[in-house]
Every structure is written in C-alpha cells, then in structure tokens.
Amino acid sequence: MGLFEIEGGIMERKMKILVAVDLSESSETVQLEAEKIAQALSAKVWLLHVAAPDPEFVGMDVGPQTVRDNMSKKFHEEHRQIQAIADRFRNTGLDTTALLIQGVTVDTILAEATKLDADMIVIGTHGHGAMYRLLVGSVSEGVLHKSKSPVLVVPTHERD
C-alpha cells in the first residue's frame, strides 16, 4: 500500500485484493476469508473466475453449433454465479468487481494480479494428495510459487 499526499494531509490508497474463485462448493470458504480481510482493511476486491475451454474446443468459429451453444450456456452460468458473489460482497459495503476471464488458470490469475496491481491474492486449496498434484498440478501451488504479490492460501478441505 502506498501513501498519497493530498491537500491538508496524507491519505492511504485502498488495498487491492484479487480473490480467485473456482465456483465449487468449497470456494465459499475462500470467499468468507477474503470478505473478512477486505472488511478489516476496507479493501477494493476483484473476484476472478478463470473459465477454461474444453480441450477439444478449438474456437467459436469452428465446431458444431451444439458445442458452441453448450459453451455459451456454461459461460453464461459462470457469469451469473460470479456476479451473485460480487453482489453479496457489495451488499456488505465492499467495493467489488467480478471478472470472468478465459485462459490458463495460473497464468490468468497472475496476469490479472499484475494488471490490477493487486496487493494480495486470495486463493483456495482443495488438499489433493501428492499423486494428484504430480499428475494434474495445483493452481494454488502455481500461483504461490510464481506470484510477485503476497498470496493467502485458504484450505477448503477438512483436516484430519
């Protein structure tokens, strides 16, 4: 956070928090933690959901109409969900913007954090085992290792 001089004194700029949500049931935990932090800091919040196309989907210009229609319905539903979360944050008085961006998840989160000059990234972890991370990878680990901003990783699974 930086300081800005204004007539008659110094004013702090609002902290900026990027909250990555995957719209799963467990992302509610991430949202609640992010909301608490944002409230405590009177922060500006960007809620980001990264929508990735199906691997077989080659573009909006190519492919059967049913594929394009299904992708359109999926993106519309994801947009509705991320807007509903943003509305909930706004109803608590938080300055919140919802973003739905298509791309590679880790790269998109990091690019948006840079573009928005985010002071913090909040992301969840599902707690998958080592074999899952080896085969599939972990978004939270990728963001944590590559981010230039502080990252809060919120566990969304039950611990034994």
Side-chain angles (χ1 to χ4, degrees), residues 24 32 40 45 55-56 61 82 92 102 105-106 119 132 145:
S24 68
L32 291 172
V45 177
E56 299 85 34
D61 297 333
I82 195 80
T92 68
Q102 193 172 358
T105 306
V106 172
D119 297 299
Y132 180 89
H145 291 297

Side-chain angles (χ1 to χ4, degrees), residues 53-64 67-69 71-72 75 102:
D54 294 339
E56 299 85 34
F57 189 71
V58 292
M60 293 304 274
D61 297 333
V62 182
V67 172
R68 292 193 305 266
D69 290 347
M71 290 302 292
S72 177
F75 292 146
Q102 193 172 358

Side-chain angles (χ1 to χ4, degrees), residues 8-84:
I10 295 178
M11 180 178 125
E12 283 190 49
R13 76 168 176 86
K14 244 184 187 181
M15 184 171 188
K16 298 183 254 179
I17 301 174
L18 177 66
V19 183
V21 294
D22 64 6
L23 303 178
S24 68
E25 287 180 30
S26 61
S27 73
E28 178 73 18
T29 304
V30 176
Q31 296 165 37
L32 291 172
E33 288 302 316
E35 188 177 340
K36 281 192 253 181
I37 293 167
Q39 287 286 355
L41 299 171
S42 299
K44 163 74 175 141
V45 177
W46 281 273
L47 295 167
L48 171 64
H49 174 67
V50 180
D54 294 339
E56 299 85 34
F57 189 71
V58 292
M60 293 304 274
D61 297 333
V62 182
Q65 184 65 40
T66 55
V67 172
R68 292 193 305 266
D69 290 347
N70 285 337
M71 290 302 292
S72 177
K73 285 178 188 174
K74 179 181 174 203
F75 292 146
H76 179 76
E77 178 57 22
E78 289 173 343
H79 180 263
R80 187 197 63 71
Q81 287 177 293
I82 195 80
Q83 288 297 335

